[in-house]
Amino acid sequence: MFSSRSIRTNFLIKLIFSSLTLIIIFSSLLYFYIEKSIYDEKKEELVQYAKNISAYKSVFQADESMGESFFSLNVGIINLKNSHTGMDIYETSKNNHTFLTLIYPFNLDDKSYLKITKDITQTKHLLKKIQRYIFVINIASILLVIIYAIALSKMLIAPIQTFSNKLANMNEHLITEIDMNKLPKEFEPLGATLNHLILRIENFVKYQKELFIGTAHELKTPLAVIKLKNQVTLIKKRSPEEYIEAIKTTNKTVDEMNIIITNILNIGRQEGAQLDRPIEVDVIAFLKQKANDFKLLAENEGKQLHMDFKPDGFMATLQISLLNQILQNFLQNAIKFTPKDKSIILRSSQDDVGLLIEVVDEGCGIDDSIDLFAPFKRQGNKSGVGLGLFLAKSAADALGAKISIRNREDGIDGTVASLQLNSKLSCIIPKKR
């Protein structure tokens, strides 16, 4: 039922041990207090008897019953060789009886002392009975604590069992979020985290389905083109030039299929890259390097790539291959969709979240109603497979970053592709003087 590594077991052991310790301490203090109070009362009685006798008064007060007290009381005068002015009280046992004896100074001139002995056997029996009652109450209390601890621990782990049962019954066809209204307040952060994970799994499953369907569709079309072209070519004998043209068309279609397959392989490589060990890298220095590489490509197509990097340095611990894939996709799309003699801007800035990286182009813009991060979604009139942004989104999720694409709001046609890096695992390099 319980494991040595179980939180419930540890909770039960600690609760029972602490409760047992508290019960023992409290009951011991209670018993000692009762015992001391009774003994103090008996001693005070003996002292009062001695004072009354020394003052030649009645041993018992007028309102005090002398029946039982008289028969349990033994008074005598003794002489001691060595005189002392103090009194002495001690306890003795004889013939299964317990006696409390007081030696009290009576006449110091002749060294005489009062010796008053009281039988406190009944008192001893009463204390033993009280001790037994306290012991029985302690046993009952411990049993109640154990029952309460088991019930409480079961109640505390009930939400965890609910999480476990719900997650165990989930599959790719039945994924539902956890109802936060049914959770205790203490488990709301865990529920929110699990819902976030479930949402990511839903998106992953959705994208995987779209990827498989899209892949089949994208490969089916060029295969149909190749087959149709070959059938048409084989209907009648043709000239060598016509055969060459048919082969070129086939090769072009095969190249398109290779691009699709390469992108699908990149998805597999990206999942492997997510398992790479993160390293510490200066993101600003990496941005400058990528900007220099793509600046030549942009100039070769008659376009300008401008850079604006702030701060001077930004250290982050991440998988550099995933960051490279995102930036490469942003810059390739910006160069592809930006017309000739137009500009592209690669910039970075620090904000409250961390480092914001943006690629701004002067292209045709996007349709906000289309999910560009879904596989095989294309925008504009340029050729492409439609897997680039899907790969970039997957890489951003693996980095714990946020990615977005929006239209420019400065009155110029174009888009702004942004990547928000979290600063929890990063730091800013001080500016060199």
Side-chain angles (χ1 to χ4, degrees):
M1 182 178 180
F2 300 113
S3 169
S4 59
R5 295 181 297 171
S6 170
I7 296 177
R8 186 182 181 188
T9 302
N10 293 331
F11 171 78
L12 283 174
I13 293 174
K14 291 180 179 179
L15 180 58
I16 293 172
F17 178 76
S18 59
S19 300
L20 180 61
T21 304
L22 182 63
I23 290 172
I24 292 175
I25 293 175
F26 176 76
S27 59
S28 299
L29 291 176
L30 177 61
Y31 175 76
F32 289 137
Y33 173 76
I34 294 173
E35 183 184 42
K36 185 177 184 304
S37 299
I38 293 176
Y39 267 89
D40 287 345
E41 183 180 345
K42 295 301 178 182
K43 291 176 183 179
E44 184 63 30
E45 286 182 6
L46 293 180
V47 172
Q48 188 62 43
Y49 295 154
K51 288 181 179 180
N52 290 339
I53 294 172
S54 299
Y56 301 101
K57 298 179 179 179
S58 174
V59 176
F60 302 98
Q61 301 295 333
D63 58 348
E64 185 178 356
S65 176
M66 60 176 290
E68 183 181 349
S69 298
F70 179 77
F71 290 110
S72 64
L73 193 66
N74 187 5
V75 181
I77 297 178
I78 61 173
N79 294 303
L80 299 178
K81 294 181 180 180
N82 299 321
S83 63
H84 59 87
T85 58
M87 63 180 180
D88 188 19
I89 298 178
Y90 58 90
E91 182 181 321
T92 58
S93 297
K94 185 178 180 181
N95 298 328
N96 296 326
H97 282 264
T98 304
F99 302 93
L100 187 63
T101 302
L102 169 67
I103 305 298
Y104 190 86
F106 182 69
N107 189 344
L108 297 179
D109 293 336
D110 60 0
K111 300 180 182 179
S112 60
Y113 295 84
L114 286 174
K115 182 180 180 182
I116 304 176
T117 302
K118 185 176 179 63
D119 189 348
I120 60 170
T121 304
Q122 294 300 323
T123 303
K124 274 289 186 181
H125 290 166
L126 176 62
L127 288 173
K128 289 182 179 179
K129 188 178 292 186
I130 292 173
Q131 191 178 36
R132 287 196 298 269
Y133 287 158
I134 292 177
F135 179 76
V136 172
I137 292 173
N138 285 349
I139 296 297
S141 300
I142 291 171
L143 292 176
L144 288 176
V145 167
I146 293 174
I147 295 172
Y148 173 75
I150 293 175
L152 180 61
S153 63
K154 188 175 181 180
M155 181 188 71
L156 292 176
I157 66 172
I160 302 296
Q161 292 177 340
T162 301
F163 289 145
S164 178
N165 294 334
K166 188 172 183 62
L167 295 176
N169 294 328
M170 285 186 184
N171 54 47
E172 65 273 15
H173 305 294
L174 181 62
I175 300 179
T176 57
E177 292 187 358
I178 297 172
D179 188 359
M180 300 291 290
N181 295 325
K182 296 182 179 179
L183 292 179
K185 188 173 182 180
E186 292 78 7
F187 285 89
E188 287 182 358
L190 177 60
T193 302
L194 288 176
N195 281 340
H196 178 69
L197 178 61
I198 290 172
L199 180 61
R200 291 189 60 181
I201 294 174
E202 284 181 332
N203 291 334
F204 177 78
V205 171
K206 181 185 72 173
Y207 284 145
Q208 288 294 318
K209 289 180 179 179
E210 292 181 1
L211 178 63
F212 294 146
I213 295 173
T215 301
H217 177 74
E218 294 292 331
L219 292 177
K220 184 178 180 180
T221 300
L223 285 174
V225 171
I226 292 174
K227 183 179 180 180
L228 179 61
K229 187 67 176 179
N230 290 340
Q231 288 176 341
V232 172
T233 304
L234 293 174
I235 290 177
K236 63 179 181 179
K237 189 175 182 179
R238 300 179 182 277
S239 63
E241 291 78 10
E242 290 176 324
Y243 283 117
I244 292 173
E245 184 64 26
I247 293 173
K248 286 181 178 180
T249 302
T250 301
N251 286 339
K252 182 180 178 182
T253 307
V254 171
D255 290 338
E256 293 175 355
M257 294 174 62
N258 279 330
I259 293 174
I260 297 173
I261 295 172
T262 300
N263 279 276
I264 295 173
L265 290 175
N266 286 335
I267 294 175
R269 294 192 186 101
Q270 184 190 79
E271 293 179 354
Q274 295 178 14
L275 302 177
D276 291 344
R277 185 176 181 179
I279 60 173
E280 189 177 41
V281 61
D282 184 358
V283 179
I284 302 300
F286 180 77
L287 291 177
K288 292 179 180 178
Q289 177 185 347
K290 297 302 295 184
N292 291 330
D293 294 341
F294 277 89
K295 186 174 183 179
L296 296 176
L297 294 176
E299 291 176 350
N300 188 52
E301 297 186 17
K303 306 164 188 179
Q304 293 294 323
L305 177 61
H306 302 287
M307 295 163 275
D308 181 18
F309 301 126
K310 296 175 183 178
D312 294 335
F314 190 90
M315 298 300 295
T317 303
L318 44 77
Q319 295 97 325
I320 192 66
S321 58
L322 297 178
L323 178 61
N324 177 69
Q325 191 167 41
I326 298 171
L327 291 176
Q328 187 167 296
N329 177 264
F330 282 179
L331 291 170
Q332 285 176 344
N333 285 341
I335 293 174
K336 180 168 67 174
F337 289 103
T338 298
K340 192 175 181 180
D341 299 327
K342 297 291 184 177
S343 299
I344 302 153
I345 302 174
L346 173 60
R347 65 192 182 193
S348 65
S349 60
Q350 182 191 355
D351 56 17
D352 295 336
V353 178
L355 185 69
L356 178 62
I357 303 171
E358 294 180 316
V359 176
V360 185
D361 63 45
E362 296 187 40
C364 57
I366 61 171
D367 184 353
D368 294 332
S369 62
I370 298 177
D371 183 9
L372 296 177
F373 297 110
F376 302 108
K377 295 294 182 180
R378 301 182 183 88
Q379 182 72 20
N381 55 0
K382 301 292 183 178
S383 62
V385 180
L387 288 175
L389 289 176
F390 171 75
L391 290 169
K393 179 67 166 58
S394 300
D397 290 341
L399 290 174
K402 291 184 179 180
I403 187 174
S404 64
I405 297 180
R406 67 181 190 276
N407 288 314
R408 295 179 63 166
E409 299 177 354
D410 55 1
I412 302 176
D413 291 336
T415 60
V416 179
S418 62
L419 173 67
Q420 179 74 70
L421 292 178
N422 198 320
S423 62
K424 288 183 178 180
L425 299 178
S426 56
C427 62
I428 300 171
I429 297 178
K431 184 177 181 180
K432 296 181 179 179
R433 295 183 178 178

